[in-house]
Amino acid sequence: MGSRASTLLREEEIEEIKKETGFSHSQITRLYSRFTSLDKGENGTLSREDFQRIPELAINPLGDRIINAFFPDGEDQVNFRGFMRTLAHFRPVEDNEKNKNLSNTEPLNSRTNKLHFAFQLYDLDRDDKISRDELLQVLRMMVGVNISDEQLGSIADRTIQEADTNGDGCISFTEFIKVLEKVDVEQKMSIRFLH
Amino acid sequence: MLQFAQSACNLLCRCLGITFVVWFTILFVIIIVPAVLEVSLGIHRFYIRTLCRVFEWATLQMELSAKQKNRQFSKPHTKGILAKSKPLSVQENMQELRSSAHSRRSEPQFDMGDVIYFCRKGVESIMDDEVTKSFSAQELESWNLLTRSIRRFPHRGLRLTFLWGLGVLIRYGILLPLRVLLAVTGIFLFVILSTSVGFLPNSKLRFFLGEKVHLMGYRFCVKSLTAFITYHNSENRPKNGSICVANHTTPLDVIILANDRCYSLVGQVHRGLLGMIQRAMVKSSPHIWFERAEVKDRHLVAKRLCDHAADKTKQPILIFPEGTCVNNTSVMMFKKGSFEIGCTIFPVAIKYDFRFGDAYWNSSKFGLVHHLLRIMSSWGLVCSVWYLPPMNREEGEDAVQFAKRVKAALAAQAGLADLTWDGGLKRTKVKDIFKEEQQRLYSEILLRDHQTQKQEKCFEDGTPEED
């Protein structure tokens, strides 16, 4: 029934993804069948068009920015590992994990990594700084045509003024973390699964 | 040597001949005659029950073998991946987001954390969304021994693989040729009889015979698909001079419904075999076939439907308002055209039991002939049909609201999800207007805060507002 090469997920791969992302076995198999249902070209990777075909994502004002987060550094295709790595940012943080961290690297769904995901939505050129232009672009995406340029400009200026502590006119990642220190990021950027 | 070969050949031919005769007699007695005479022998019931038991046994086997090998047996989640939370509006979500950071500022205008809301919604829709789910084949909870679903159940074990092999032999060696033969016989008989009835003068006899011929044709088709249909609430069966609406999963929905009573079908004129069948149908019963060019003219379509529906002696018109095939887990937006006509609507809900074979026609993946072959080579078509009580448009209700009401009743009866997305999303992109609506809602939040902040400043300064 068609030319499905190796569309079966091997146990070793599932184990590797489990270690890297922290998803459970059933979550990984479930997300794999989701991945294959989005993969219309049946070549084991997703392109930007495959994401844009999801209507709820297409009507999201920041849809394109979110899709971009799945494609690191100019690539056009994302495989299942990359897909899971990005989705891992939204895994809920469990309490027992905080003590169980065996590896030296931070888990993908830590508070810092979640905030970094949000930071990258603003940082279009990936230079680790949010400039006034970048902030304006994202604001324009979120409000569409409903707010004038001047009003938007003043909103951007006020935001940078409040956040920028070292006076360079841009918001760095550290300043971004400080701005959102009171927001419950662990809960707001987590997606609950049905087991 | 030659004589030996010749006599062997003769023997072989005789054997084949006898087999063929026996086979055909069985076929004739068990299937064709009952189909023509409207008698049931109970074979289908036995078949379905046996298959159900086999499937249950198969699932048990897989669970056992998984436990033995100490592997995880992940049952496919058919209810979705994400835990459903209460759906809140954009405003409520923003307030929740900001309230956790409230003490930071006096009157937040724009918060850098606002992206988090859109971010999470976006990733949730990547993980699971209603529309993509509705346009791909339904997921099975347990394996139904078909090749096409074999991928999702890798840990089968030897016994199940043997059973699957046996299944392949039965389905492709016995069932498929039998069904194709039945279908061909049925269509052949139908075309001849229908054309003959068409020669009779316009009278009650012609109408009566026409219905009988149509019903016979549909019975043949149903038998050729091994369809086992249960009709519920037959007292609500559509009456003459009305419109019948149903949810659409496959072109075979027509056969399923028309097996019980005759309908007038609406559709485009086709060429080839389908065109010949269409012409034969029209000779003995009124159907509404449109030329391709006429379909674009909505007023013409509406007028012809109206005229037909106004004639109270004519059979009810069968319409599928979704406009496209959906995978029988949900009902998509009903197009308002058929609800504007103003006559009684009889909703009918169809639900397939997809363990026996997936009835959904994914027209972007395979064509009609491939789809028919798939259905004929699966175990069968088991479905339930519910006739709902008739509905009329109420005072002050427009066509769109009426359509929504009918859709909700239909979805509730069949246990399907009621979606507001357009079935046209199967092939086209979503309209920009929905994105603009989201942007507008968010702008309102910003502007409202901006306005409140300005007012507060003005009261402090004591100057009148400048807006």
Side-chain angles (χ1 to χ4, degrees), chain B residues 147-196:
Chain B
T147 323
R148 51 205 75 145
S149 45
I150 214 174
R151 262 189 320 118
R152 299 191 208 267
F153 300 93
H155 312 302
R156 292 182 297 277
L158 196 61
R159 262 182 288 188
L160 280 183
T161 313
F162 170 72
L163 205 62
W164 166 73
L166 190 66
V168 168
L169 274 173
I170 296 179
R171 282 185 294 117
Y172 284 92
I174 303 179
L175 291 178
L176 182 61
L178 195 65
R179 286 172 181 162
V180 171
L181 191 63
L182 269 176
V184 167
T185 319
I187 294 179
F188 185 65
L189 271 176
F190 173 73
V191 169
I192 292 188
L193 285 175
S194 184
T195 320
S196 337

Short mmCIF file of all heavy atoms in Angstrom, two decimals, chain B residues 147-196:
data_model
loop_
_atom_site.label_atom_id
_atom_site.label_comp_id
_atom_site.label_asym_id
_atom_site.label_seq_id
_atom_site.Cartn_x
_atom_site.Cartn_y
_atom_site.Cartn_z
N THR B 147 -4.47 -5.82 6.10
CA THR B 147 -3.11 -5.40 5.75
C THR B 147 -2.91 -3.91 5.96
O THR B 147 -1.86 -3.47 6.38
CB THR B 147 -2.84 -5.70 4.26
OG1 THR B 147 -3.47 -6.91 3.93
CG2 THR B 147 -1.37 -5.77 3.99
N ARG B 148 -3.96 -3.13 5.64
CA ARG B 148 -3.77 -1.69 5.63
C ARG B 148 -3.56 -1.11 7.02
O ARG B 148 -3.01 -0.04 7.15
CB ARG B 148 -4.95 -1.00 4.96
CG ARG B 148 -6.30 -1.41 5.49
CD ARG B 148 -7.36 -1.19 4.45
NE ARG B 148 -7.31 -2.21 3.42
CZ ARG B 148 -8.34 -2.71 2.81
NH1 ARG B 148 -9.54 -2.30 3.12
NH2 ARG B 148 -8.22 -3.62 1.88
N SER B 149 -3.98 -1.81 8.06
CA SER B 149 -3.76 -1.26 9.39
C SER B 149 -2.64 -2.00 10.11
O SER B 149 -2.46 -1.86 11.30
CB SER B 149 -5.04 -1.32 10.21
OG SER B 149 -5.66 -2.57 10.05
N ILE B 150 -1.87 -2.77 9.35
CA ILE B 150 -0.87 -3.63 9.98
C ILE B 150 0.27 -2.82 10.58
O ILE B 150 0.90 -3.22 11.54
CB ILE B 150 -0.34 -4.65 8.93
CG1 ILE B 150 0.01 -5.97 9.58
CG2 ILE B 150 0.87 -4.14 8.19
CD1 ILE B 150 0.38 -7.02 8.58
N ARG B 151 0.51 -1.65 10.04
CA ARG B 151 1.65 -0.84 10.50
C ARG B 151 1.56 -0.47 11.97
O ARG B 151 2.53 -0.45 12.69
CB ARG B 151 1.72 0.44 9.69
CG ARG B 151 2.70 0.40 8.55
CD ARG B 151 2.85 1.76 7.94
NE ARG B 151 1.61 2.47 7.83
CZ ARG B 151 1.36 3.62 8.46
NH1 ARG B 151 2.25 4.16 9.24
NH2 ARG B 151 0.21 4.22 8.31
N ARG B 152 0.34 -0.18 12.40
CA ARG B 152 0.21 0.34 13.76
C ARG B 152 0.31 -0.75 14.81
O ARG B 152 0.30 -0.48 16.00
CB ARG B 152 -1.15 1.03 13.91
CG ARG B 152 -1.33 2.19 12.96
CD ARG B 152 -2.57 2.98 13.33
NE ARG B 152 -3.14 3.64 12.19
CZ ARG B 152 -2.87 4.87 11.82
NH1 ARG B 152 -2.02 5.58 12.51
NH2 ARG B 152 -3.44 5.41 10.77
N PHE B 153 0.33 -1.99 14.40
CA PHE B 153 0.37 -3.08 15.36
C PHE B 153 1.54 -3.99 15.02
O PHE B 153 1.36 -5.07 14.48
CB PHE B 153 -0.95 -3.85 15.32
CG PHE B 153 -2.14 -3.00 15.64
CD1 PHE B 153 -2.85 -2.38 14.64
CD2 PHE B 153 -2.52 -2.81 16.95
CE1 PHE B 153 -3.94 -1.58 14.93
CE2 PHE B 153 -3.62 -2.01 17.26
CZ PHE B 153 -4.32 -1.40 16.25
N PRO B 154 2.74 -3.55 15.34
CA PRO B 154 3.90 -4.32 14.93
C PRO B 154 4.08 -5.63 15.68
O PRO B 154 4.65 -6.58 15.16
CB PRO B 154 5.08 -3.39 15.20
CG PRO B 154 4.58 -2.46 16.25
CD PRO B 154 3.13 -2.32 16.06
N HIS B 155 3.60 -5.68 16.95
CA HIS B 155 3.88 -6.87 17.74
C HIS B 155 2.73 -7.85 17.62
O HIS B 155 1.81 -7.85 18.42
CB HIS B 155 4.08 -6.48 19.21
CG HIS B 155 5.02 -5.32 19.33
ND1 HIS B 155 6.29 -5.36 18.84
CD2 HIS B 155 4.85 -4.08 19.85
CE1 HIS B 155 6.87 -4.19 19.07
NE2 HIS B 155 6.04 -3.41 19.67
N ARG B 156 2.81 -8.69 16.58
CA ARG B 156 1.64 -9.51 16.30
C ARG B 156 1.78 -10.94 16.80
O ARG B 156 0.83 -11.54 17.23
CB ARG B 156 1.37 -9.53 14.80
CG ARG B 156 0.92 -8.20 14.26
CD ARG B 156 0.62 -8.30 12.80
NE ARG B 156 1.78 -8.65 12.02
CZ ARG B 156 2.66 -7.77 11.61
NH1 ARG B 156 2.54 -6.50 11.92
NH2 ARG B 156 3.70 -8.14 10.89
N GLY B 157 2.96 -11.49 16.68
CA GLY B 157 3.09 -12.89 17.06
C GLY B 157 2.73 -13.80 15.90
O GLY B 157 2.07 -13.41 14.95
N LEU B 158 3.14 -15.07 16.03
CA LEU B 158 3.01 -16.00 14.91
C LEU B 158 1.55 -16.34 14.62
O LEU B 158 1.12 -16.39 13.48
CB LEU B 158 3.82 -17.27 15.22
CG LEU B 158 4.10 -18.17 14.01
CD1 LEU B 158 4.92 -17.37 13.00
CD2 LEU B 158 4.86 -19.40 14.45
N ARG B 159 0.78 -16.56 15.70
CA ARG B 159 -0.60 -17.00 15.50
C ARG B 159 -1.41 -15.96 14.74
O ARG B 159 -2.18 -16.27 13.83
CB ARG B 159 -1.26 -17.28 16.85
CG ARG B 159 -1.24 -18.75 17.21
CD ARG B 159 -1.93 -19.01 18.51
NE ARG B 159 -1.14 -18.52 19.62
CZ ARG B 159 -1.46 -18.77 20.88
NH1 ARG B 159 -2.52 -19.45 21.18
NH2 ARG B 159 -0.70 -18.29 21.85
N LEU B 160 -1.22 -14.70 15.14
CA LEU B 160 -1.98 -13.65 14.50
C LEU B 160 -1.56 -13.46 13.05
O LEU B 160 -2.37 -13.20 12.18
CB LEU B 160 -1.84 -12.33 15.25
CG LEU B 160 -2.71 -12.21 16.49
CD1 LEU B 160 -2.54 -10.84 17.10
CD2 LEU B 160 -4.17 -12.41 16.11
N THR B 161 -0.25 -13.59 12.81
CA THR B 161 0.23 -13.43 11.44
C THR B 161 -0.37 -14.52 10.56
O THR B 161 -0.76 -14.28 9.42
CB THR B 161 1.76 -13.50 11.39
OG1 THR B 161 2.29 -12.68 12.41
CG2 THR B 161 2.27 -13.03 10.05
N PHE B 162 -0.48 -15.75 11.11
CA PHE B 162 -1.09 -16.83 10.36
C PHE B 162 -2.55 -16.52 10.08
O PHE B 162 -3.05 -16.70 8.97
CB PHE B 162 -0.95 -18.13 11.16
CG PHE B 162 -1.74 -19.25 10.59
CD1 PHE B 162 -1.35 -19.86 9.41
CD2 PHE B 162 -2.90 -19.71 11.21
CE1 PHE B 162 -2.08 -20.89 8.87
CE2 PHE B 162 -3.64 -20.73 10.68
CZ PHE B 162 -3.23 -21.34 9.50
N LEU B 163 -3.23 -16.02 11.09
CA LEU B 163 -4.64 -15.67 10.93
C LEU B 163 -4.81 -14.58 9.88
O LEU B 163 -5.73 -14.60 9.07
CB LEU B 163 -5.19 -15.19 12.28
CG LEU B 163 -6.70 -15.35 12.47
CD1 LEU B 163 -7.06 -16.80 12.42
CD2 LEU B 163 -7.11 -14.74 13.80
N TRP B 164 -3.86 -13.63 9.92
CA TRP B 164 -3.91 -12.55 8.94
C TRP B 164 -3.74 -13.11 7.53
O TRP B 164 -4.45 -12.74 6.60
CB TRP B 164 -2.82 -11.53 9.25
CG TRP B 164 -2.55 -10.59 8.14
CD1 TRP B 164 -3.34 -9.57 7.73
CD2 TRP B 164 -1.42 -10.59 7.28
NE1 TRP B 164 -2.77 -8.92 6.67
CE2 TRP B 164 -1.59 -9.53 6.38
CE3 TRP B 164 -0.27 -11.38 7.20
CZ2 TRP B 164 -0.65 -9.25 5.39
CZ3 TRP B 164 0.65 -11.10 6.22
CH2 TRP B 164 0.47 -10.04 5.33
N GLY B 165 -2.78 -14.05 7.38
CA GLY B 165 -2.56 -14.68 6.08
C GLY B 165 -3.82 -15.37 5.59
O GLY B 165 -4.22 -15.25 4.42
N LEU B 166 -4.46 -16.09 6.49
CA LEU B 166 -5.71 -16.77 6.16
C LEU B 166 -6.76 -15.75 5.72
O LEU B 166 -7.50 -15.96 4.75
CB LEU B 166 -6.20 -17.55 7.39
CG LEU B 166 -7.35 -18.52 7.17
CD1 LEU B 166 -6.88 -19.64 6.27
CD2 LEU B 166 -7.82 -19.08 8.51
N GLY B 167 -6.78 -14.66 6.46
CA GLY B 167 -7.72 -13.59 6.13
C GLY B 167 -7.49 -13.05 4.73
O GLY B 167 -8.42 -12.81 3.98
N VAL B 168 -6.21 -12.87 4.39
CA VAL B 168 -5.89 -12.36 3.05
C VAL B 168 -6.42 -13.30 1.98
O VAL B 168 -7.03 -12.88 0.99
CB VAL B 168 -4.36 -12.17 2.90
CG1 VAL B 168 -3.99 -11.93 1.45
CG2 VAL B 168 -3.88 -11.02 3.74
N LEU B 169 -6.20 -14.61 2.22
CA LEU B 169 -6.68 -15.60 1.25
C LEU B 169 -8.19 -15.53 1.09
O LEU B 169 -8.72 -15.51 -0.02
CB LEU B 169 -6.29 -17.01 1.72
CG LEU B 169 -4.91 -17.50 1.32
CD1 LEU B 169 -4.62 -18.82 1.99
CD2 LEU B 169 -4.81 -17.62 -0.19
N ILE B 170 -8.87 -15.51 2.23
CA ILE B 170 -10.34 -15.49 2.18
C ILE B 170 -10.82 -14.23 1.48
O ILE B 170 -11.67 -14.26 0.60
CB ILE B 170 -10.95 -15.57 3.59
CG1 ILE B 170 -10.61 -16.90 4.24
CG2 ILE B 170 -12.46 -15.38 3.54
CD1 ILE B 170 -11.15 -17.03 5.64
N ARG B 171 -10.23 -13.09 1.89
CA ARG B 171 -10.76 -11.82 1.37
C ARG B 171 -10.49 -11.66 -0.11
O ARG B 171 -11.37 -11.31 -0.88
CB ARG B 171 -10.17 -10.64 2.14
CG ARG B 171 -10.82 -10.45 3.50
CD ARG B 171 -10.32 -9.23 4.20
NE ARG B 171 -8.93 -9.33 4.56
CZ ARG B 171 -7.98 -8.52 4.08
NH1 ARG B 171 -8.29 -7.57 3.23
NH2 ARG B 171 -6.74 -8.67 4.47
N TYR B 172 -9.25 -11.94 -0.54
CA TYR B 172 -8.93 -11.69 -1.94
C TYR B 172 -9.29 -12.86 -2.83
O TYR B 172 -9.52 -12.70 -4.01
CB TYR B 172 -7.43 -11.37 -2.08
CG TYR B 172 -7.11 -9.98 -1.62
CD1 TYR B 172 -6.74 -9.73 -0.31
CD2 TYR B 172 -7.21 -8.89 -2.49
CE1 TYR B 172 -6.47 -8.45 0.12
CE2 TYR B 172 -6.95 -7.61 -2.06
CZ TYR B 172 -6.57 -7.40 -0.75
OH TYR B 172 -6.31 -6.14 -0.32
N GLY B 173 -9.32 -14.08 -2.25
CA GLY B 173 -9.59 -15.24 -3.09
C GLY B 173 -11.07 -15.56 -3.21
O GLY B 173 -11.53 -15.98 -4.27
N ILE B 174 -11.82 -15.35 -2.15
CA ILE B 174 -13.22 -15.74 -2.18
C ILE B 174 -14.13 -14.53 -2.19
O ILE B 174 -14.98 -14.37 -3.06
CB ILE B 174 -13.57 -16.64 -0.97
CG1 ILE B 174 -12.68 -17.87 -0.95
CG2 ILE B 174 -15.03 -17.02 -1.01
CD1 ILE B 174 -12.92 -18.79 0.21
N LEU B 175 -13.95 -13.65 -1.21
CA LEU B 175 -14.91 -12.57 -1.04
C LEU B 175 -14.87 -11.57 -2.19
O LEU B 175 -15.90 -11.17 -2.72
CB LEU B 175 -14.67 -11.84 0.28
CG LEU B 175 -15.01 -12.64 1.54
CD1 LEU B 175 -14.68 -11.82 2.78
CD2 LEU B 175 -16.47 -13.03 1.55
N LEU B 176 -13.65 -11.16 -2.56
CA LEU B 176 -13.55 -10.12 -3.58
C LEU B 176 -14.13 -10.56 -4.93
O LEU B 176 -14.96 -9.84 -5.49
CB LEU B 176 -12.09 -9.66 -3.73
CG LEU B 176 -11.84 -8.53 -4.73
CD1 LEU B 176 -12.59 -7.29 -4.32
CD2 LEU B 176 -10.37 -8.22 -4.84
N PRO B 177 -13.75 -11.74 -5.47
CA PRO B 177 -14.35 -12.13 -6.75
C PRO B 177 -15.86 -12.26 -6.66
O PRO B 177 -16.58 -11.86 -7.56
CB PRO B 177 -13.71 -13.49 -7.05
CG PRO B 177 -12.56 -13.60 -6.17
CD PRO B 177 -12.78 -12.72 -5.00
N LEU B 178 -16.32 -12.81 -5.52
CA LEU B 178 -17.76 -12.98 -5.32
C LEU B 178 -18.48 -11.63 -5.38
O LEU B 178 -19.50 -11.47 -6.06
CB LEU B 178 -17.99 -13.61 -3.94
CG LEU B 178 -19.36 -14.20 -3.68
CD1 LEU B 178 -19.61 -15.35 -4.60
CD2 LEU B 178 -19.46 -14.63 -2.23
N ARG B 179 -17.89 -10.66 -4.68
CA ARG B 179 -18.53 -9.36 -4.61
C ARG B 179 -18.52 -8.67 -5.96
O ARG B 179 -19.51 -8.05 -6.36
CB ARG B 179 -17.82 -8.49 -3.57
CG ARG B 179 -18.12 -8.90 -2.16
CD ARG B 179 -17.26 -8.16 -1.20
NE ARG B 179 -17.52 -8.56 0.17
CZ ARG B 179 -16.71 -8.34 1.17
NH1 ARG B 179 -15.57 -7.73 0.97
NH2 ARG B 179 -17.02 -8.73 2.39
N VAL B 180 -17.39 -8.76 -6.65
CA VAL B 180 -17.32 -8.11 -7.96
C VAL B 180 -18.34 -8.73 -8.90
O VAL B 180 -19.05 -8.03 -9.63
CB VAL B 180 -15.89 -8.22 -8.53
CG1 VAL B 180 -15.86 -7.76 -9.96
CG2 VAL B 180 -14.92 -7.41 -7.71
N LEU B 181 -18.45 -10.06 -8.83
CA LEU B 181 -19.42 -10.75 -9.68
C LEU B 181 -20.84 -10.28 -9.38
O LEU B 181 -21.63 -9.99 -10.29
CB LEU B 181 -19.30 -12.26 -9.42
CG LEU B 181 -20.04 -13.18 -10.41
CD1 LEU B 181 -19.47 -13.00 -11.79
CD2 LEU B 181 -19.89 -14.62 -9.96
N LEU B 182 -21.15 -10.18 -8.10
CA LEU B 182 -22.47 -9.71 -7.69
C LEU B 182 -22.74 -8.30 -8.19
O LEU B 182 -23.82 -8.00 -8.69
CB LEU B 182 -22.57 -9.71 -6.16
CG LEU B 182 -23.09 -10.97 -5.51
CD1 LEU B 182 -23.03 -10.84 -4.01
CD2 LEU B 182 -24.51 -11.23 -5.95
N ALA B 183 -21.73 -7.45 -8.02
CA ALA B 183 -21.92 -6.05 -8.42
C ALA B 183 -22.19 -5.96 -9.92
O ALA B 183 -23.10 -5.26 -10.36
CB ALA B 183 -20.67 -5.22 -8.05
N VAL B 184 -21.41 -6.72 -10.68
CA VAL B 184 -21.57 -6.67 -12.14
C VAL B 184 -22.96 -7.19 -12.53
O VAL B 184 -23.67 -6.58 -13.32
CB VAL B 184 -20.46 -7.50 -12.82
CG1 VAL B 184 -20.78 -7.74 -14.27
CG2 VAL B 184 -19.13 -6.78 -12.68
N THR B 185 -23.35 -8.33 -11.93
CA THR B 185 -24.68 -8.89 -12.23
C THR B 185 -25.76 -7.89 -11.88
O THR B 185 -26.70 -7.67 -12.64
CB THR B 185 -24.91 -10.17 -11.40
OG1 THR B 185 -23.73 -10.94 -11.38
CG2 THR B 185 -26.06 -10.97 -11.96
N GLY B 186 -25.60 -7.29 -10.70
CA GLY B 186 -26.60 -6.34 -10.23
C GLY B 186 -26.77 -5.17 -11.16
O GLY B 186 -27.89 -4.81 -11.55
N ILE B 187 -25.64 -4.57 -11.55
CA ILE B 187 -25.71 -3.39 -12.42
C ILE B 187 -26.31 -3.76 -13.77
O ILE B 187 -27.15 -3.05 -14.32
CB ILE B 187 -24.32 -2.77 -12.59
CG1 ILE B 187 -23.83 -2.21 -11.26
CG2 ILE B 187 -24.34 -1.67 -13.64
CD1 ILE B 187 -22.46 -1.60 -11.31
N PHE B 188 -25.89 -4.91 -14.28
CA PHE B 188 -26.38 -5.39 -15.57
C PHE B 188 -27.90 -5.55 -15.54
O PHE B 188 -28.64 -5.00 -16.37
CB PHE B 188 -25.70 -6.73 -15.86
CG PHE B 188 -26.00 -7.29 -17.21
CD1 PHE B 188 -25.59 -6.62 -18.36
CD2 PHE B 188 -26.68 -8.49 -17.35
CE1 PHE B 188 -25.86 -7.14 -19.60
CE2 PHE B 188 -26.97 -9.01 -18.59
CZ PHE B 188 -26.55 -8.34 -19.73
N LEU B 189 -28.39 -6.29 -14.55
CA LEU B 189 -29.83 -6.50 -14.40
C LEU B 189 -30.58 -5.18 -14.27
O LEU B 189 -31.62 -4.96 -14.88
CB LEU B 189 -30.11 -7.35 -13.16
CG LEU B 189 -30.12 -8.86 -13.33
CD1 LEU B 189 -30.32 -9.52 -11.97
CD2 LEU B 189 -31.21 -9.29 -14.29
N PHE B 190 -29.99 -4.30 -13.43
CA PHE B 190 -30.65 -3.03 -13.15
C PHE B 190 -30.81 -2.20 -14.42
O PHE B 190 -31.89 -1.67 -14.71
CB PHE B 190 -29.85 -2.25 -12.10
CG PHE B 190 -30.36 -0.86 -11.88
CD1 PHE B 190 -31.54 -0.64 -11.20
CD2 PHE B 190 -29.68 0.24 -12.38
CE1 PHE B 190 -32.03 0.63 -11.00
CE2 PHE B 190 -30.16 1.52 -12.18
CZ PHE B 190 -31.33 1.71 -11.50
N VAL B 191 -29.71 -2.09 -15.20
CA VAL B 191 -29.76 -1.26 -16.40
C VAL B 191 -30.83 -1.78 -17.36
O VAL B 191 -31.65 -1.02 -17.90
CB VAL B 191 -28.38 -1.20 -17.09
CG1 VAL B 191 -28.47 -0.59 -18.45
CG2 VAL B 191 -27.40 -0.42 -16.24
N ILE B 192 -30.86 -3.12 -17.54
CA ILE B 192 -31.82 -3.70 -18.48
C ILE B 192 -33.25 -3.46 -18.00
O ILE B 192 -34.10 -2.98 -18.75
CB ILE B 192 -31.55 -5.21 -18.66
CG1 ILE B 192 -30.22 -5.41 -19.37
CG2 ILE B 192 -32.69 -5.85 -19.42
CD1 ILE B 192 -29.95 -6.82 -19.76
N LEU B 193 -33.51 -3.81 -16.73
CA LEU B 193 -34.87 -3.70 -16.22
C LEU B 193 -35.34 -2.24 -16.19
O LEU B 193 -36.48 -1.94 -16.52
CB LEU B 193 -34.96 -4.31 -14.82
CG LEU B 193 -34.94 -5.83 -14.79
CD1 LEU B 193 -34.90 -6.33 -13.35
CD2 LEU B 193 -36.16 -6.39 -15.50
N SER B 194 -34.44 -1.36 -15.76
CA SER B 194 -34.83 0.04 -15.65
C SER B 194 -35.18 0.62 -17.01
O SER B 194 -36.16 1.35 -17.16
CB SER B 194 -33.70 0.84 -15.00
OG SER B 194 -34.09 2.16 -14.81
N THR B 195 -34.36 0.30 -18.02
CA THR B 195 -34.66 0.80 -19.36
C THR B 195 -35.98 0.23 -19.86
O THR B 195 -36.77 0.93 -20.50
CB THR B 195 -33.52 0.41 -20.33
OG1 THR B 195 -32.27 0.56 -19.66
CG2 THR B 195 -33.53 1.28 -21.56
N SER B 196 -36.25 -1.07 -19.55
CA SER B 196 -37.52 -1.66 -20.00
C SER B 196 -38.69 -0.97 -19.35
O SER B 196 -39.70 -0.68 -20.01
CB SER B 196 -37.58 -3.16 -19.67
OG SER B 196 -36.31 -3.69 -19.51
#
